[in-house]
Amino acid sequence: IVLRGLNCTPPTATITTTTATTFCQGGSVILNANTGTGLTYQWRTGTTNIAGATNASYTATTAGSYTVLVSNAGGC
């Protein structure tokens, strides 16, 4: 059996928005991750995955610190 390590280059993960990142109660902001062929997404608030938030964009309706995990088809 020959085991080979994955030669994997992780994709860049960036978040942009086209509106202000502050809003009043009842408001929201759309967060956009970089896009590309074969990329998958998982949005988080703090260190907790947001259930069902697996698109390139996420609409934040509560205050907090948001991150996105971007993976490519190779699992990086």
Side-chain angles (χ1 to χ4, degrees):
I1 297 174
V2 176
L3 298 176
R4 299 176 191 248
L6 293 176
N7 184 7
C8 196
T9 303
T12 301
T14 57
I15 300 173
T16 59
T17 182
T18 58
T19 61
T21 57
T22 58
F23 53 90
C24 295
Q25 185 174 1
S28 63
V29 61
I30 298 173
L31 305 173
N32 301 297
N34 52 295
T35 59
T37 302
L39 297 180
T40 59
Y41 307 90
Q42 177 58 65
W43 289 92
R44 291 179 161 188
T45 181
T47 59
T48 304
N49 288 350
I50 301 169
T54 56
N55 294 318
S57 294
Y58 177 72
T59 302
T61 57
T62 58
S65 176
Y66 292 87
T67 58
V68 63
L69 300 175
V70 181
S71 300
N72 62 23
C76 293

